């Protein structure tokens, strides 16, 4: 497995909760403004087609994760949508569980245990990453992300004076978001890594697939999909 499980500021217990909130608000607002979760739609449709229960549960358990920009589209399809901050909620059987841009926070043992818990509940599983593990992505994270924080912070909702303070006077937020983003790139599970984790899950009837897809902007998204084949 190529990935390296590095620490991130926003995962540390000592990192102040108000700053975590500001980081999360920025990332959610940024994702919505650039439509970063739209490339996930084909995979979400594929997962929903495989699931007998048309309920999608968005596991938004980590900072900057989830698919908030797709909620309206999901509901327009007549599917039930639910978001939770709990990695292991009690779920109706036969639905779809999505983890978008948060799976890398789990180490391999935790990742395998989580997949197993979802399989034990007869869930169709969809793991999505909007970034991919290459050096160009790291360059973009070091250059464009801090600029984006400086440019977009004033229009992120809700408006907070604290965000202005920690963006412009004490530039903690640009530094943390940039460094956390770079650390996340090293932690990403590539398609082979995802397949390796899934191989350790006990289920005779589960079919798994992993890979990369174009995001429509010259980059790639990475994914793992698992569903009951019988």
């Amino acid at each position: 497995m190529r990935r390296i499980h590095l620490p991130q500021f926003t995962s540390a217990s000592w990192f102040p909760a108000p700053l975590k909130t500001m980081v999360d608000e920025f990332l959610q607002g940024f994702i919505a403004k650039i439509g970063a979760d739209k490339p996930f739609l084909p995979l979400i449709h594929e997962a929903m087609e495989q699931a007998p229960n048309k309920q999608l549960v968005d596991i938004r358990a980590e900072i900057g994760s989830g698919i908030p920009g797709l909620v309206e589209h999901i509901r327009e399809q007549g599917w039930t949508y639910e978001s939770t901050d709990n990695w292991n909620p009690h779920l109706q059987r036969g639905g779809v569980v999505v983890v978008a841009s948060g799976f890398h926070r789990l180490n391999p043992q935790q990742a395998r245990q989580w997949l197993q818990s979802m399989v034990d509940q007869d869930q169709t599983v969809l793991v999505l990453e909007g970034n991919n593990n290459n050096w160009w992505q790291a360059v973009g994270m070091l250059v464009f992300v801090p600029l984006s924080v400086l440019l977009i912070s004033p229009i992120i909702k809700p408006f907070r004076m604290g965000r202005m303070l920690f963006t412009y006077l004490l530039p903690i937020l640009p530094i943390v978001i940039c460094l956390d983003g770079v650390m996340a790139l090293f932690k990403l599970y590539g398609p082979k890594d995802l397949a390796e984790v899934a191989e350790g899950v006990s289920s005779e009837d589960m079919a798994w697939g992993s890979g990369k897809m174009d995001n429509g902007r010259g980059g790639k998204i990475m994914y793992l999909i698992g569903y009951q084949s019988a």
Side-chain angles (χ1 to χ4, degrees):
M1 188 171 291
R2 294 173 53 193
R3 73 183 294 275
I4 305 171
H5 199 76
L6 299 173
Q8 292 175 264
F9 287 105
T10 50
S11 296
S13 58
W14 53 263
F15 193 77
L19 289 179
K20 284 186 181 181
T21 298
M22 293 178 201
V23 170
D24 192 42
E25 288 173 346
F26 172 82
L27 292 174
Q28 294 296 320
F30 181 70
I31 289 169
K33 288 184 184 301
I34 68 172
D37 47 6
K38 287 184 179 179
F40 299 152
L41 277 175
L43 290 162
I44 290 174
H45 276 267
E46 180 181 347
M48 295 302 291
E49 288 173 2
Q50 299 292 340
N53 177 5
K54 304 306 179 184
Q55 179 189 42
L56 186 149
V57 177
D58 182 11
I59 306 290
R60 195 190 167 284
E62 301 293 347
I63 287 176
S65 64
I67 49 172
L70 304 181
V71 176
E72 183 177 350
H73 175 86
I74 290 167
R75 288 179 171 154
E76 286 175 353
Q77 307 307 305
W79 304 332
T80 302
Y81 173 85
E82 180 182 339
S83 176
T84 177
D85 291 334
N86 183 0
W87 273 104
N88 289 291
H90 180 71
L91 303 169
Q92 296 182 30
R93 291 189 176 273
V96 174
V97 176
V98 176
V99 176
S101 304
F103 198 69
H104 61 269
R105 302 254 183 173
L106 303 178
N107 64 41
Q109 181 180 359
Q110 292 170 330
R112 189 171 290 111
Q113 289 173 345
W114 182 82
L115 289 177
Q116 185 69 63
S117 69
M118 294 300 102
V119 169
D120 290 344
Q121 296 185 59
D122 295 329
Q123 302 298 317
T124 294
V125 179
L126 190 56
V127 174
L128 303 165
E129 286 289 355
N131 294 312
N132 60 89
N133 48 355
N134 64 50
W135 288 105
W136 286 113
Q137 196 89 51
V139 171
M141 195 69 70
L142 289 169
V143 176
F144 295 112
V145 169
L147 288 176
S148 298
V149 178
L150 295 173
L151 291 172
I152 298 176
S153 284
I155 59 175
I156 294 296
K157 296 180 180 179
F159 178 84
R160 298 185 189 277
M161 285 304 301
R163 187 183 300 115
M164 300 301 99
L165 169 64
F166 292 113
T167 298
Y168 301 107
L169 295 181
L170 298 171
I172 293 175
L173 293 181
I175 293 171
V176 167
I177 292 172
C178 174
L179 294 181
D180 255 26
V182 172
M183 294 302 102
L185 294 179
F186 286 96
K187 297 170 70 174
L188 291 177
Y189 289 90
K192 291 183 179 179
D193 298 328
L194 290 167
E196 183 179 331
V197 172
E199 284 176 2
V201 176
S202 176
S203 175
E204 295 181 358
D205 299 329
M206 202 72 175
W208 297 98
S210 62
K212 292 184 180 182
M213 288 181 58
D214 290 336
N215 66 5
R217 296 191 294 268
K220 302 283 185 181
I221 64 172
M222 301 191 296
Y223 69 90
L224 172 72
I225 185 170
Y227 55 88
Q228 297 289 336
S229 59

